[in-house]
Structures are given as C-alpha cells and as structure tokens.
Coordinates of all heavy atoms in Angstrom, one line a residue:
M1 N -82.2 168.3 -69.6 CA -82.8 167.5 -70.6 C -82.1 166.1 -70.5 O -80.9 166.1 -70.4 CB -82.7 168.1 -71.9 CG -83.3 167.4 -73.0 SD -83.2 168.3 -74.6 CE -84.7 167.8 -75.3
S2 N -82.9 165.0 -70.7 CA -82.3 163.7 -70.6 C -81.7 163.3 -72.0 O -82.0 163.9 -73.0 CB -83.3 162.7 -70.1 OG -84.4 162.6 -71.1
E3 N -80.9 162.3 -71.9 CA -80.3 161.8 -73.2 C -81.5 161.2 -74.0 O -82.5 160.9 -73.5 CB -79.3 160.6 -72.9 CG -78.1 161.1 -72.2 CD -77.2 162.0 -73.1 OE1 -77.1 161.7 -74.3 OE2 -76.6 162.9 -72.6
R4 N -81.2 161.1 -75.3 CA -82.3 160.6 -76.2 C -82.8 159.2 -75.8 O -84.0 159.0 -76.0 CB -81.7 160.6 -77.6 CG -82.7 160.2 -78.6 CD -82.2 160.4 -80.0 NE -83.2 160.0 -81.0 CZ -83.0 159.9 -82.2 NH1 -81.8 160.1 -82.7 NH2 -84.0 159.5 -83.0
N5 N -81.9 158.4 -75.3 CA -82.3 157.0 -75.0 C -82.8 156.8 -73.6 O -83.0 155.7 -73.1 CB -81.2 156.0 -75.3 CG -80.9 156.0 -76.8 OD1 -81.8 156.2 -77.6 ND2 -79.7 155.7 -77.1
E6 N -82.8 157.9 -72.8 CA -83.2 157.8 -71.4 C -84.6 158.3 -71.2 O -85.0 159.2 -71.8 CB -82.2 158.6 -70.6 CG -80.8 158.1 -70.6 CD -80.6 156.8 -70.0 OE1 -81.3 156.4 -69.0 OE2 -79.8 156.0 -70.6
P7 N -85.3 157.7 -70.2 CA -86.6 158.2 -69.8 C -86.5 159.5 -69.2 O -85.4 159.9 -68.7 CB -87.2 157.1 -68.9 CG -86.0 156.4 -68.4 CD -84.9 156.5 -69.5
P8 N -87.6 160.3 -69.1 CA -87.5 161.6 -68.4 C -87.0 161.4 -66.9 O -87.0 160.3 -66.4 CB -88.9 162.1 -68.4 CG -89.7 161.2 -69.2 CD -88.9 160.0 -69.5
T9 N -86.7 162.5 -66.3 CA -86.1 162.5 -65.0 C -87.0 161.8 -63.9 O -86.5 161.3 -63.0 CB -85.9 163.9 -64.4 OG1 -86.2 164.9 -65.5 CG2 -84.5 164.1 -63.9
G10 N -88.3 161.7 -64.1 CA -89.2 161.1 -63.2 C -89.0 159.6 -63.2 O -89.6 158.9 -62.3
G11 N -88.2 159.0 -64.1 CA -88.0 157.6 -64.1 C -88.9 156.9 -65.1 O -89.8 157.5 -65.8
L12 N -88.7 155.6 -65.3 CA -89.5 154.8 -66.3 C -91.0 154.8 -65.9 O -91.8 154.9 -66.8 CB -88.9 153.4 -66.4 CG -89.4 152.6 -67.5 CD1 -89.2 153.3 -68.9 CD2 -88.7 151.3 -67.6
D13 N -91.3 154.6 -64.7 CA -92.7 154.6 -64.3 C -93.4 155.9 -64.7 O -94.5 155.9 -65.2 CB -92.9 154.3 -62.8 CG -92.5 152.9 -62.4 OD1 -92.1 152.1 -63.3 OD2 -92.5 152.7 -61.2
A14 N -92.8 157.0 -64.5 CA -93.4 158.3 -64.8 C -93.5 158.4 -66.3 O -94.5 158.9 -66.8 CB -92.5 159.4 -64.3
Y15 N -92.5 157.9 -67.1 CA -92.6 157.9 -68.5 C -93.8 157.1 -69.0 O -94.5 157.5 -69.9 CB -91.3 157.4 -69.1 CG -91.4 157.2 -70.6 CD1 -91.2 158.3 -71.5 CD2 -91.5 156.0 -71.2 CE1 -91.3 158.2 -72.8 CE2 -91.6 155.8 -72.5 CZ -91.5 156.9 -73.4 OH -91.6 156.7 -74.7
I16 N -93.9 155.9 -68.5 CA -95.0 155.0 -68.9 C -96.4 155.7 -68.6 O -97.3 155.7 -69.5 CB -94.9 153.7 -68.1 CG1 -93.7 152.9 -68.6 CG2 -96.2 152.8 -68.4 CD1 -93.3 151.7 -67.8
E17 N -96.5 156.3 -67.4 CA -97.8 156.9 -67.1 C -98.0 158.1 -68.0 O -99.2 158.3 -68.4 CB -97.8 157.3 -65.6 CG -97.8 156.1 -64.7 CD -97.7 156.5 -63.2 OE1 -97.6 157.7 -62.9 OE2 -97.6 155.6 -62.4
A18 N -97.0 158.9 -68.3 CA -97.2 160.1 -69.1 C -97.5 159.7 -70.6 O -98.4 160.2 -71.2 CB -95.9 160.9 -69.1
A19 N -96.8 158.6 -71.1 CA -97.1 158.2 -72.4 C -98.5 157.6 -72.6 O -99.2 157.9 -73.5 CB -96.1 157.1 -72.9
A20 N -99.0 156.9 -71.6 CA -100.3 156.3 -71.6 C -101.3 157.5 -71.5 O -102.3 157.4 -72.3 CB -100.5 155.4 -70.4
G21 N -101.1 158.5 -70.8 CA -102.0 159.6 -70.7 C -102.0 160.4 -72.0 O -103.1 160.8 -72.5
L22 N -100.9 160.6 -72.7 CA -100.8 161.3 -73.9 C -101.6 160.5 -75.0 O -102.2 161.1 -75.9 CB -99.4 161.6 -74.4 CG -98.7 162.7 -73.6 CD1 -97.2 162.7 -74.0 CD2 -99.3 164.0 -73.9
L23 N -101.5 159.2 -75.0 CA -102.1 158.4 -76.0 C -103.5 158.0 -75.6 O -104.2 157.2 -76.3 CB -101.3 157.1 -76.2 CG -99.9 157.4 -76.8 CD1 -99.0 156.1 -76.7 CD2 -100.0 157.9 -78.2
A24 N -104.0 158.4 -74.5 CA -105.3 158.1 -73.9 C -105.6 156.6 -73.8 O -106.6 156.1 -74.2 CB -106.4 158.8 -74.8
I25 N -104.5 155.9 -73.3 CA -104.6 154.5 -73.1 C -104.9 154.3 -71.6 O -104.2 154.7 -70.8 CB -103.3 153.8 -73.5 CG1 -103.0 154.0 -75.0 CG2 -103.4 152.3 -73.1 CD1 -101.6 153.5 -75.4
P26 N -106.0 153.6 -71.3 CA -106.3 153.3 -69.9 C -105.2 152.4 -69.3 O -104.8 151.4 -70.0 CB -107.6 152.5 -69.9 CG -107.9 152.2 -71.3 CD -107.0 153.0 -72.2
L27 N -104.7 152.7 -68.2 CA -103.5 152.0 -67.6 C -103.8 151.5 -66.2 O -104.0 152.3 -65.3 CB -102.3 153.0 -67.6 CG -101.0 152.4 -67.1 CD1 -100.5 151.2 -68.0 CD2 -99.9 153.5 -67.0
D28 N -103.8 150.2 -66.1 CA -104.0 149.6 -64.8 C -102.6 149.7 -64.1 O -101.6 149.3 -64.7 CB -104.4 148.1 -65.0 CG -104.7 147.4 -63.7 OD1 -104.1 147.8 -62.6 OD2 -105.4 146.5 -63.7
P29 N -102.5 150.3 -62.9 CA -101.2 150.5 -62.3 C -100.5 149.2 -62.1 O -99.2 149.2 -62.0 CB -101.6 151.1 -60.9 CG -102.9 151.7 -61.1 CD -103.6 150.9 -62.2
T30 N -101.2 148.0 -62.0 CA -100.4 146.7 -61.9 C -99.7 146.4 -63.1 O -98.8 145.5 -63.1 CB -101.4 145.6 -61.5 OG1 -102.4 145.5 -62.5 CG2 -102.1 145.9 -60.2
W31 N -99.9 147.0 -64.3 CA -99.2 146.7 -65.5 C -97.9 147.4 -65.6 O -97.1 147.1 -66.5 CB -100.1 147.1 -66.7 CG -101.4 146.4 -66.8 CD1 -101.8 145.3 -66.2 CD2 -102.4 146.8 -67.7 NE1 -103.1 145.0 -66.6 CE2 -103.5 145.9 -67.5 CE3 -102.6 147.8 -68.6 CZ2 -104.7 146.0 -68.2 CZ3 -103.8 147.9 -69.3 CH2 -104.8 147.0 -69.1
I32 N -97.7 148.4 -64.8 CA -96.5 149.3 -65.0 C -95.2 148.5 -65.0 O -94.3 148.7 -65.8 CB -96.5 150.5 -64.0 CG1 -97.7 151.4 -64.4 CG2 -95.2 151.2 -64.0 CD1 -97.9 152.6 -63.5
G33 N -95.1 147.6 -64.0 CA -93.8 146.8 -63.9 C -93.6 145.9 -65.2 O -92.5 145.9 -65.7
A34 N -94.6 145.3 -65.7 CA -94.5 144.5 -66.9 C -94.2 145.3 -68.1 O -93.4 145.0 -69.0 CB -95.8 143.7 -67.2
I35 N -94.8 146.5 -68.2 CA -94.5 147.4 -69.3 C -93.1 147.9 -69.3 O -92.4 147.9 -70.3 CB -95.5 148.6 -69.3 CG1 -96.9 148.1 -69.6 CG2 -95.1 149.7 -70.3 CD1 -98.0 149.2 -69.3
G36 N -92.6 148.2 -68.1 CA -91.2 148.6 -67.9 C -90.3 147.6 -68.3 O -89.2 147.8 -68.9
S37 N -90.5 146.3 -67.9 CA -89.7 145.2 -68.3 C -89.6 145.0 -69.8 O -88.6 144.8 -70.4 CB -90.2 143.9 -67.7 OG -90.1 144.0 -66.3
N38 N -90.8 145.1 -70.5 CA -90.9 145.0 -71.9 C -90.1 146.2 -72.6 O -89.3 145.9 -73.5 CB -92.3 145.1 -72.4 CG -92.5 144.8 -73.8 OD1 -91.9 145.3 -74.7 ND2 -93.5 143.9 -74.1
L39 N -90.2 147.4 -72.1 CA -89.5 148.5 -72.7 C -88.0 148.3 -72.5 O -87.2 148.7 -73.4 CB -89.9 149.8 -72.0 CG -91.3 150.3 -72.4 CD1 -91.7 151.6 -71.6 CD2 -91.4 150.6 -73.9
A40 N -87.5 147.7 -71.4 CA -86.1 147.5 -71.2 C -85.6 146.5 -72.2 O -84.5 146.6 -72.7 CB -85.9 147.0 -69.7
V41 N -86.3 145.4 -72.5 CA -85.9 144.4 -73.5 C -85.9 145.1 -74.9 O -84.9 144.8 -75.6 CB -86.9 143.2 -73.4 CG1 -86.7 142.3 -74.6 CG2 -86.8 142.4 -72.1
L42 N -86.9 145.8 -75.2 CA -86.9 146.5 -76.5 C -85.8 147.5 -76.6 O -85.2 147.6 -77.7 CB -88.3 147.2 -76.7 CG -89.5 146.3 -76.9 CD1 -90.7 147.2 -76.9 CD2 -89.4 145.5 -78.1
R43 N -85.4 148.2 -75.6 CA -84.3 149.1 -75.6 C -83.0 148.4 -75.9 O -82.2 148.9 -76.7 CB -84.3 149.9 -74.3 CG -83.1 150.9 -74.3 CD -83.1 151.7 -73.0 NE -82.0 152.5 -73.0 CZ -81.5 153.1 -71.9 NH1 -82.1 152.9 -70.8 NH2 -80.4 153.8 -71.9
A44 N -82.8 147.3 -75.2 CA -81.6 146.5 -75.4 C -81.5 146.0 -76.9 O -80.4 146.0 -77.5 CB -81.5 145.3 -74.4
A45 N -82.6 145.5 -77.4 CA -82.6 145.1 -78.8 C -82.3 146.2 -79.8 O -81.6 146.1 -80.7 CB -84.0 144.4 -79.2
A46 N -82.9 147.4 -79.5 CA -82.7 148.6 -80.3 C -81.2 149.0 -80.3 O -80.7 149.4 -81.3 CB -83.6 149.7 -79.9
A47 N -80.6 148.9 -79.1 CA -79.2 149.2 -79.0 C -78.3 148.3 -79.9 O -77.4 148.8 -80.5 CB -78.7 149.1 -77.5
H48 N -78.6 147.1 -80.0 CA -77.9 146.2 -80.9 C -78.0 146.6 -82.3 O -77.0 146.6 -83.1 CB -78.4 144.7 -80.7 CG -77.9 144.1 -79.5 ND1 -76.6 143.8 -79.1 CD2 -78.7 143.6 -78.4 CE1 -76.5 143.3 -78.0 NE2 -77.8 143.1 -77.5
V49 N -79.2 147.0 -82.7 CA -79.4 147.4 -84.1 C -78.7 148.8 -84.3 O -78.0 148.9 -85.4 CB -80.9 147.6 -84.4 CG1 -81.2 148.3 -85.7 CG2 -81.6 146.3 -84.3
A50 N -78.8 149.7 -83.4 CA -78.1 151.0 -83.6 C -76.6 150.9 -83.6 O -75.9 151.7 -84.2 CB -78.6 151.9 -82.4
E51 N -76.0 149.9 -83.0 CA -74.6 149.7 -82.9 C -74.0 149.1 -84.2 O -72.8 149.1 -84.4 CB -74.2 148.8 -81.8 CG -74.4 149.5 -80.4 CD -74.2 148.5 -79.3 OE1 -73.9 147.3 -79.5 OE2 -74.4 149.0 -78.1
F52 N -74.9 148.5 -85.1 CA -74.4 147.9 -86.3 C -73.9 148.9 -87.3 O -74.6 149.9 -87.6 CB -75.6 147.1 -87.0 CG -75.1 146.3 -88.1 CD1 -74.6 145.0 -87.9 CD2 -75.3 146.7 -89.4 CE1 -74.2 144.2 -88.9 CE2 -74.9 145.9 -90.5 CZ -74.3 144.7 -90.2
P53 N -72.6 148.8 -87.6 CA -72.0 149.8 -88.5 C -72.5 149.7 -90.0 O -72.6 148.6 -90.5 CB -70.5 149.5 -88.4 CG -70.4 148.1 -88.1 CD -71.7 147.7 -87.3
L54 N -72.8 150.8 -90.6 CA -73.1 150.8 -92.0 C -72.2 151.8 -92.7 O -71.8 152.8 -92.2 CB -74.5 151.4 -92.2 CG -75.7 150.5 -91.6 CD1 -77.0 151.3 -91.8 CD2 -75.7 149.2 -92.4
V55 N -71.7 151.3 -93.8 CA -70.8 152.2 -94.6 C -71.6 153.1 -95.4 O -72.8 152.9 -95.7 CB -69.9 151.3 -95.6 CG1 -69.0 150.4 -94.7 CG2 -70.7 150.5 -96.5
D56 N -71.0 154.2 -95.8 CA -71.7 155.3 -96.6 C -72.2 154.8 -97.9 O -73.2 155.3 -98.5 CB -70.9 156.5 -96.8 CG -70.6 157.2 -95.5 OD1 -71.5 157.1 -94.6 OD2 -69.6 158.0 -95.4
A57 N -71.6 153.7 -98.5 CA -72.0 153.3 -99.8 C -73.2 152.4 -99.8 O -73.7 152.0 -100.9 CB -70.8 152.5 -100.4
V58 N -73.8 152.1 -98.7 CA -75.0 151.2 -98.6 C -76.2 152.0 -99.1 O -76.4 153.1 -98.7 CB -75.2 150.7 -97.2 CG1 -76.5 150.0 -97.0 CG2 -74.0 149.9 -96.7
D59 N -76.9 151.4 -100.0 CA -78.1 152.0 -100.5 C -79.3 151.6 -99.7 O -79.4 150.5 -99.2 CB -78.4 151.6 -102.0 CG -77.4 152.2 -102.9 OD1 -76.9 153.3 -102.6 OD2 -77.1 151.6 -104.0
A60 N -80.3 152.5 -99.5 CA -81.5 152.2 -98.8 C -82.3 151.1 -99.6 O -82.2 151.1 -100.8 CB -82.3 153.4 -98.6
A61 N -83.0 150.3 -98.9 CA -83.9 149.3 -99.5 C -85.0 150.1 -100.3 O -85.5 151.1 -99.9 CB -84.5 148.4 -98.5
P62 N -85.4 149.5 -101.4 CA -86.4 150.1 -102.2 C -87.8 150.0 -101.5 O -88.0 149.1 -100.6 CB -86.5 149.3 -103.5 CG -85.8 148.0 -103.2 CD -84.9 148.3 -102.1
V63 N -88.7 150.9 -101.8 CA -90.0 150.9 -101.2 C -91.0 150.5 -102.3 O -91.0 151.0 -103.4 CB -90.4 152.3 -100.7 CG1 -91.8 152.3 -100.2 CG2 -89.4 152.8 -99.7
Y64 N -91.7 149.4 -101.9 CA -92.7 148.9 -102.9 C -94.1 149.3 -102.4 O -94.4 149.2 -101.2 CB -92.6 147.4 -103.0 CG -91.3 146.9 -103.5 CD1 -90.3 146.5 -102.7 CD2 -91.1 146.9 -104.9 CE1 -89.1 146.0 -103.2 CE2 -89.9 146.5 -105.4 CZ -88.9 146.0 -104.5 OH -87.7 145.6 -105.1
E65 N -94.9 149.8 -103.3 CA -96.3 150.2 -103.0 C -97.2 149.5 -103.9 O -97.0 149.4 -105.1 CB -96.4 151.7 -103.1 CG -95.6 152.5 -102.1 CD -95.8 154.0 -102.2 OE1 -96.7 154.4 -102.8 OE2 -94.9 154.7 -101.6
A66 N -98.3 149.1 -103.3 CA -99.4 148.4 -104.1 C -100.3 149.4 -104.8 O -100.5 150.5 -104.4 CB -100.1 147.5 -103.3

C-alpha cells in the first residue's frame, strides 16, 4: 500500500487515468501531462498547509448557514 500522499504504484499517469475512469470523465491522453503538473503544484501547496502547526487550544471556525 502506498503512503497517503503518494499516487498508486502505477505512477501518476495511472492514477490520473484511474480517477478519470471512476469519475466517468472523458480524458484526452494529451492532457495527462498537464493534469500531472497541476496535481504536483496542488500537492506542494497542500504540503505547506499541512505543515502549519496548530495548537490544541485553537477553536474551529464557525459554520454559517443561510
């Protein structure tokens, strides 16, 4: 089993193709490189957010509903 932040063993291309199939999204094979680049940028941004330390005393933001 791969780490939580890692794509499956088949690599990122295999992950993109599998996710597109599960979501029934038509996927032009020429898009795979651009999608992979986008996912890499998003993963790096998410890593910065996940590394931000929070103390236990921090309260969650309130939820407003209309």
Side-chain angles (χ1 to χ4, degrees):
M1 182 176 215
S2 63
E3 291 293 321
R4 183 174 181 188
N5 294 331
E6 296 295 325
T9 353
L12 190 55
D13 290 357
Y15 172 78
I16 293 167
E17 291 174 4
L22 287 171
L23 297 170
I25 298 172
L27 180 63
D28 184 334
T30 60
W31 299 347
I32 292 178
I35 294 169
S37 296
N38 189 311
L39 289 175
V41 169
L42 292 172
R43 179 179 175 196
H48 287 296
V49 172
E51 291 171 359
F52 188 81
L54 293 176
V55 294
D56 290 336
V58 173
D59 291 330
V63 176
Y64 297 98
E65 296 180 16

